[in-house]
């Protein structure tokens, strides 16, 4: 039993640590996002009216209006999705390379995405194409592999081995208890049929007394 538990523990520890793809959302008001120059206006439920149906309200009720300059968004992940609206045109630059644009994109919705990135650090910049261009940024979503901690795996292994040991000891004690129940007070072995045949029980006890 102990050998099996040890082999199981070693096998688990030798498995590769795998990640789980998780989506993270950056609202336009996130401190991670930088605006240069400062935005013209940042809308909130108290400052900007919500759009009428069927238009969807901004994420968290906020959005940011930019009429010039660059929006910088650092992230770590394998994919990125940008939700905004554009009057005029804007360009998307990922890690120093222009990879897309959007023209007169309205209302706020998915304007750009890239889902074939390496799971490393990236910088996405969004630039207003002047003149008379503007961007209303709502939010950005990026996907990142969240890896399981090796410590969590080791803890799970230790817990599993401890549980197996407890169950093994409990089983051994139960078997000993059942074995003791099958012995009479005079040391005469009793079979499973003993309680059903009192005459056999009496004869066995008398033979024991004669000895």
């Amino acid at each position: 039993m102990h050998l099996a538990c040890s082999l199981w523990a070693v096998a688990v520890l030798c498995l590769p640590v795998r990640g789980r793809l998780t989506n993270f959302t950056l609202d336009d008001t996130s401190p991670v996002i930088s605006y240069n120059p400062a935005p013209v206006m940042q809308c909130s439920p108290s400052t900007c009216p919500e759009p009428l149906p069927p238009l969807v309200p901004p994420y968290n009720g906020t959005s940011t209006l930019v009429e010039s300059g660059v929006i910088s968004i650092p992230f770590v992940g394998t994919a990125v999705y940008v939700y905004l609206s554009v009057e005029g045109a804007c360009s998307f630059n990922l890690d120093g390379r222009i990879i897309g644009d959007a023209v007169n994109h309205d209302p706020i919705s998915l304007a750009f995405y890239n889902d074939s990135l390496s799971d490393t650090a990236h910088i996405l910049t969004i630039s207003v194409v002047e003149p008379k261009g503007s961007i209303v940024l709502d939010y950005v979503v990026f996907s990142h592999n969240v890896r399981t901690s090796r410590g969590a795996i080791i803890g799970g292994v230790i817990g599993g081995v401890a549980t197996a040991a407890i169950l093994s000891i409990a089983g051994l004690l139960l078997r000993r208890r059942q074995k003791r129940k099958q012995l009479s007070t005079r040391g005469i072995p009793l079979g499973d049929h003993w309680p059903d045949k009192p005459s056999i029980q009496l004869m066995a006890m008398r033979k024991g007394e004669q000895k």
Side-chain angles (χ1 to χ4, degrees):
M1 180 67 180
H2 295 291
L3 178 59
C5 290
S6 299
L7 291 175
W8 174 76
V10 171
V12 171
L13 289 176
C14 290
L15 290 175
V17 179
R18 296 183 178 180
R20 179 171 57 89
L21 195 63
T22 305
N23 289 334
F24 297 88
T25 301
L26 294 175
D27 194 19
D28 61 291
T29 58
S30 170
V32 173
I33 300 177
S34 63
Y35 300 89
N36 187 22
V40 174
M41 180 173 60
Q42 286 189 318
C43 286
S44 65
S46 60
T47 59
C48 298
E50 290 189 356
L52 298 176
L55 300 181
V56 179
Y59 177 78
N60 275 349
T62 64
S63 60
T64 299
L65 173 62
V66 174
E67 292 185 343
S68 63
V70 177
I71 304 171
S72 298
I73 307 163
F75 68 95
V76 176
T78 60
V80 61
Y81 307 84
V82 182
Y83 292 79
L84 51 71
S85 67
V86 180
E87 182 178 338
C90 71
S91 62
F92 298 94
N93 185 304
L94 186 61
D95 299 332
R97 184 168 59 93
I98 296 177
I99 56 173
D101 58 23
V103 179
N104 293 325
H105 183 83
D106 188 64
I108 293 175
S109 58
L110 180 63
F112 169 81
Y113 76 94
N114 189 319
D115 57 2
S116 58
L117 304 174
S118 59
D119 197 14
T120 56
H122 305 280
I123 297 180
L124 174 68
T125 59
I126 308 170
S127 303
V128 176
V129 177
E130 299 180 1
K132 297 182 179 179
S134 65
I135 299 171
V136 177
L137 178 64
D138 189 3
Y139 64 100
V140 177
V141 176
F142 64 92
S143 303
H144 172 56
N145 277 310
V146 179
R147 289 175 172 78
T148 304
S149 169
R150 178 70 70 180
I153 294 178
I154 295 174
V157 170
I158 294 174
V161 172
T163 301
I166 292 172
L167 292 176
S168 177
I169 294 172
L172 179 62
L173 294 176
L174 181 61
R175 287 195 297 271
R176 288 183 177 178
R177 184 177 179 183
Q178 291 175 343
K179 187 175 182 180
R180 284 198 299 268
K181 284 184 177 180
Q182 293 179 349
L183 297 177
S184 69
T185 56
R186 295 178 179 271
I188 302 173
L190 306 180
D192 294 336
H193 58 283
W194 180 268
D196 300 331
K197 298 183 179 180
S199 59
I200 297 177
Q201 178 181 5
L202 182 60
M203 291 174 61
M205 293 177 64
R206 287 178 177 175
K207 288 181 180 180
E209 291 176 354
Q210 292 175 0
K211 292 180 180 180

